[in-house]
Amino acid sequence: MNWDRIQGNWKQVTGKAKEQWGKLTDDDFDVVAGKRDQLLGKIQERYGVGKDAAESQIAAWESKADDSWFTIKAKHKL
């Protein structure tokens, strides 16, 4: 998946990021705002891992991204 697409749709994919990195706060995700280097730093900070480990986590997460991450699910009125 192209990181530009993730960054451009950050609000939509934040839920997936929260599932992956539960120690990150809503404020962290607001600061990250789709910037890969910011996410890298927040993962290092919150999880106490090195740059390579954080990079591996992001790469694995990014590789899971597919079109379903970017579709808006319609809410049906009852």
Side-chain angles (χ1 to χ4, degrees):
M1 178 58 58
N2 182 325
W3 189 265
D4 290 335
R5 187 164 181 206
I6 290 173
Q7 184 174 6
N9 294 283
W10 186 246
K11 294 287 184 190
Q12 288 177 289
V13 300
T14 300
K16 294 287 187 183
K18 287 179 182 181
E19 289 174 14
Q20 179 70 33
W21 298 288
K23 290 184 181 180
L24 299 183
T25 66
D26 288 340
D27 286 342
D28 290 334
F29 287 111
D30 288 344
V31 168
V32 168
K35 297 179 195 91
R36 200 172 198 280
D37 60 332
Q38 293 288 325
L39 179 59
L40 182 72
K42 290 295 181 185
I43 293 168
Q44 288 177 268
E45 179 183 325
R46 296 283 186 234
Y47 287 87
V49 298
K51 185 176 181 178
D52 290 343
E55 180 62 46
S56 293
Q57 289 181 27
I58 293 172
W61 178 76
E62 184 179 0
S63 73
K64 296 176 193 174
D66 61 26
D67 287 337
S68 71
W69 285 24
F70 305 101
T71 55
I72 299 172
K73 295 183 174 138
K75 294 183 180 179
H76 300 289
K77 292 184 180 179
L78 298 178

